[in-house]
Amino acid sequence: METIATIIIEKLVFPNEEKPALKNINFEIKRGDFIVITGGVASGKSILLHSITGAIPHYHNAELTGKITILGQDIKDVHLNHMSDYVGYMMQEPHNQIISLDVYEDVAFGLGNLGIPCEQTEQIVNNTLKFVGLDGYENRQTASLSGGQAQRVVLAGVLALNAPILILDQPTAELDPQGRLEIYKRLSQLNKHQNLTIVLVMDRIEEVLSYANRVFYLKDGEIIKEYLPEDYYNDQVLLQKRRLKYAADAAIANSSPKESIAKIINVSYRYRNNLIGCEDIHLEVYKGDFISIIGLNGSGKSTLAKLLIGLLKPCKGEIKLFGKLLNRENLTKIRTQIGFLFQNPDHQIFASTLEEEVGFSLKLRGEREAVIDQKIDECLEFVGLLDYKKMHPQRLSRGQRQLLALASILAGDPEFIIADEPTSGLDENQGFMIMNKLFDLSQKGKTILCITHDLTLAKAYSNRLVALNNHRLQFDISIKDLPEYNEALKEIGLNFQDIALFRGGWDGSF
């Protein structure tokens, strides 16, 4: 195959840093490649993509020793605003890449900059939105999109530019399982039928392996191994089975608690544009529960979580927390008993250092300095970030910022923890670590409500599964009864059956 890019990075060092963020990187990208890059938190995956796209050094200041060429051009000689001629780049955070108020204008933005005629632009926008599964969303306000829908909009905008190389950073991290498989299948179609070259970063890659032809594993800024997809799968599936043994035993051991913590009674919510958030929800949460809220993107999961902590007010129905009706008068007091982990950690991180972030709520409560210092260290050690306590949070990776947000929540010792996609942006090791810790907390009497698209983790750790479909509560299932509901869940896009990626031998397809 024709070589269309050469990446040689002897080392890449950021200002005031001694340790290279990347080192000893040397590989070629062939036309028609479908490369998947994976690795642990802060292993350098996103930085490598920044380097390939020219964001480093043209935007992010760093000293790069080496040479990166794309289609014969040294990217140092290509202005950043011309890189779209070479690569289409989808960043890790979809809301950082959305710049318009409605979906149509956002997808059309790049085409307008290229001077594409309006009639042609309309056709391209409609086609790309249909391709990513958002047909009919042209007039939808971008602020009302779920995380998964926002990812699809950004992908549509990137695809519309028709660059020869597609660079994607965690493109399905916020999608439900059905959505992830749809996007991977459609990207594979572009790869196979249009010879589009794809370089994709994902923390958890089992679902995309069937479409890839190369897998790179990064550790400490270095590609330590290149796998064939089937070899990576064979290595990782055995490791995953060992990890899940503890989780499965833990879920079975979880008792059925009966003390009511939260009660949602006939609750409905509509957004200002009259879009339904959730409708006629009845749900009771008991002390010590580990409940996983599951459902496709846009089914109402995050809306339900925001209603529970008073960020949204029901249009109909009522919510009781700790036996008290949630209202304006007692909202502040009730919130001291609840920890909420947002889907995007940057929505709740604001301090200048990790220790300031974790200690903020403790200082508000008037805790003694010695108690604050001890609690900060305990919480940061709990999530594996103690060595970074003096660092600015924005220097952390997305996954590390997720861990920081969790540490700041735990500092307040909440009785009820609501976690919206707590493993988003984490590698498998970190994901299992977080879920193990949350489960340990539930065993100590804490109550966990976890919104997740990871059905494997939901099945392994929960004592109850609550499935939303079309904004309504469809099923409330005890984990021991899950086999009876497998077919019914599959009908609403939630398939708990194991996906045999390589059944029948490796043929590169399902």
Side-chain angles (χ1 to χ4, degrees), residues 75-298:
I75 64 168
K76 288 183 179 179
D77 301 328
V78 180
H79 291 292
L80 197 56
N81 60 331
H82 291 301
M83 282 301 297
S84 60
D85 295 336
Y86 302 90
V87 297
Y89 181 34
M90 180 177 176
M91 294 186 290
Q92 188 172 357
E93 298 284 356
H95 289 288
N96 290 347
Q97 208 164 347
I98 288 179
I99 46 83
S100 299
L101 295 177
D102 67 66
V103 169
Y104 181 92
E105 290 298 328
D106 198 81
V107 178
F109 179 78
L111 298 170
N113 286 337
L114 294 176
I116 305 298
C118 291
E119 187 174 314
Q120 187 179 351
T121 293
E122 182 176 358
Q123 182 179 358
I124 293 172
V125 170
N126 290 338
N127 287 344
T128 51
L129 284 175
K130 184 176 181 180
F131 182 83
V132 299
L134 291 181
D135 191 19
Y137 277 67
E138 289 81 2
N139 297 319
R140 181 73 65 88
Q141 295 293 297
T142 52
S144 71
L145 299 172
S146 70
Q149 290 166 341
Q151 281 201 305
R152 290 173 185 259
V153 169
V154 172
L155 179 58
V158 172
L159 289 173
L161 298 178
N162 198 31
I165 303 174
L166 202 57
I167 307 289
L168 307 175
D169 196 351
Q170 307 276 8
T172 64
E174 299 189 32
L175 294 181
D176 54 65
Q178 179 176 301
R180 293 196 298 268
L181 292 176
E182 287 175 359
I183 291 298
Y184 291 146
K185 186 175 181 180
R186 290 170 184 180
L187 289 174
S188 177
Q189 291 171 355
L190 294 176
N191 174 248
K192 286 189 167 87
H193 301 308
Q194 298 183 23
N195 213 27
L196 178 67
T197 303
I198 297 173
V199 179
L200 179 151
V201 158
M202 279 299 296
D203 289 316
R204 303 178 186 187
I205 69 170
E206 282 77 8
E207 293 166 329
V208 73
L209 281 176
S210 186
Y211 304 112
N213 68 318
R214 302 166 71 188
V215 177
F216 296 160
Y217 190 90
L218 259 69
K219 183 178 181 181
D220 296 329
E222 187 172 3
I223 297 175
I224 61 171
K225 189 168 183 179
E226 179 177 350
Y227 288 90
L228 290 173
E230 61 268 37
D231 292 337
Y232 182 88
Y233 178 80
N234 289 334
D235 284 349
Q236 293 301 310
V237 73
L238 296 176
L239 179 60
Q240 187 183 58
K241 285 180 179 179
R242 289 196 297 270
R243 288 169 176 157
L244 284 175
K245 186 180 186 304
Y246 167 81
D249 292 344
I252 293 171
N254 202 347
S255 60
S256 299
K258 291 300 177 187
E259 179 186 340
S260 181
I261 291 292
K263 195 169 185 178
I264 302 169
I265 307 165
N266 197 33
V267 163
S268 298
Y269 182 80
R270 285 180 180 264
Y271 290 94
R272 289 182 179 179
N273 53 11
N274 209 35
L275 288 174
I276 299 172
C278 61
E279 204 162 37
D280 298 328
I281 302 292
H282 281 272
L283 178 66
E284 190 157 14
V285 180
Y286 299 103
K287 184 177 178 65
D289 258 337
F290 195 124
I291 295 177
S292 286
I293 306 288
I294 56 177
L296 301 184
N297 287 116

